[in-house]
Amino acid sequence: MLVVTGGTKGIGRAIIERFAKAGFQVATCARKEAELNTLKIDLEARYGIKVHTLAADMSQKSEVLRFADFVAQIGEPVRVLVNNTGVFIPGQVHQEADGVLESMMETNVYSAYYLTRALIKPMIEQKEGHIFNICSTASIMAYTNGGSYCITKFAMYGMTKVLRAEMREHGVRVTAIMPGATLTASWDGVELPPERFMKVEDVAETVFAANQLSKQAVIEEILLRPMLGDI
């Protein structure tokens, strides 16, 4: 089974689509139940798979653990976990409003931390599984107006590296996905042509391909950028 957080839009939705096409059963969450219902109906009709959805606010630890319990109750082994939930609030460290760092840490880092901890034990026992953390080019390159977003993405990247080191002996693969500018709702209002961005399908195909390797291999990090470079 594939588990993806924030699965109704953007990169999360594209990843679900790609794995659903390959016959994976899916469990996902997002804040809006109506969008989850639409996703479920659409994918089950087109691919003949089972889609399990739960409305949850992944910035809240209690909601993360509720989603983890929901996934466990499905009774299917989690083969792939994609920690995709994230939020971007532009700003600079010395000018950001109070609470911005805490808010983005909760969504961008803590959600992945708590969900991974909750779901990883069966992977360790089975000596099988693949965890993808959706990081960013902001995980390795600071930029002005990135502020707390860069801080949280650096933290997500660090968590991915230490988790990979921990999981090697258990046969669980851990991959950091670091996409540059990808055409998602985060770029709404920006006056640039779509051709200047990567497609969400580019990221999804990359994640799917990385998961197809043998158990003897792991792609540790994937850095993707638009052909013309960063924006």
Side-chain angles (χ1 to χ4, degrees):
M1 182 170 66
L2 167 74
V3 177
V4 180
T5 61
T8 57
K9 297 178 182 178
I11 291 173
R13 171 65 183 260
I15 291 172
I16 288 175
E17 288 262 1
R18 183 62 186 87
F19 278 81
K21 185 178 180 181
F24 274 71
Q25 187 174 171
V26 174
T28 190
C29 62
R31 293 189 183 192
K32 297 181 180 179
E33 189 165 3
E35 292 180 357
L36 288 166
N37 290 337
T38 299
L39 176 73
K40 175 181 174 68
I41 293 169
D42 178 38
L43 295 184
E44 289 186 343
R46 286 196 288 130
Y47 299 113
I49 61 165
K50 186 66 177 175
V51 179
H52 309 270
T53 64
L54 180 74
D57 179 355
M58 297 297 279
S59 70
Q60 304 297 315
K61 180 180 177 181
S62 61
E63 292 283 275
V64 175
L65 298 181
R66 186 167 69 91
F67 179 61
D69 288 341
F70 172 79
V71 170
Q73 290 170 14
I74 295 171
E76 293 290 333
V78 177
R79 303 298 184 193
V80 181
L81 168 62
V82 181
N83 288 306
N84 171 67
T85 294
V87 63
F88 170 67
I89 302 173
Q92 298 185 358
V93 170
H94 68 289
Q95 294 178 329
E96 289 175 330
D98 287 343
V100 167
L101 174 61
E102 291 85 348
S103 175
M104 278 199 278
M105 283 294 292
E106 289 166 352
T107 303
N108 297 354
V109 183
Y110 294 167
S111 64
Y113 175 82
Y114 290 122
L115 185 61
T116 298
R117 281 167 53 90
L119 297 182
I120 204 167
K121 185 176 180 181
M123 291 183 179
I124 293 172
E125 293 171 347
Q126 298 158 14
K127 290 190 174 298
E128 182 179 7
H130 201 155
I131 299 170
F132 291 90
N133 287 336
I134 305 301
C135 298
S136 169
T137 52
S139 296
I140 59 172
M141 182 184 68
Y143 60 91
T144 58
N145 215 40
S148 289
Y149 180 75
C150 286
I151 293 171
T152 63
K153 286 301 182 178
F154 265 79
M156 182 69 148
Y157 182 46
M159 186 184 81
T160 306
K161 290 168 76 72
V162 72
L163 183 65
R164 184 186 308 118
E166 294 172 354
M167 289 299 109
R168 284 193 184 108
E169 65 180 289
H170 301 295
V172 178
R173 295 184 288 183
V174 182
T175 301
I177 305 293
M178 294 178 282
T182 309
L183 192 57
T184 67
S186 296
W187 292 95
D188 286 350
V190 175
E191 296 182 0
L192 288 172
E195 295 78 14
R196 188 61 182 83
F197 298 85
M198 293 188 300
K199 298 179 179 180
V200 291
E201 291 82 6
D202 294 328
V203 181
E205 287 289 348
T206 302
V207 170
F208 185 80
N211 185 62
Q212 294 300 103
L213 299 184
S214 72
K215 294 180 181 179
Q216 288 75 34
V218 58
I219 297 178
E220 295 186 346
E221 301 173 1
I222 300 176
L223 176 63
L224 303 95
R225 282 192 171 100
M227 190 63 186
L228 295 177
D230 292 320
I231 295 173

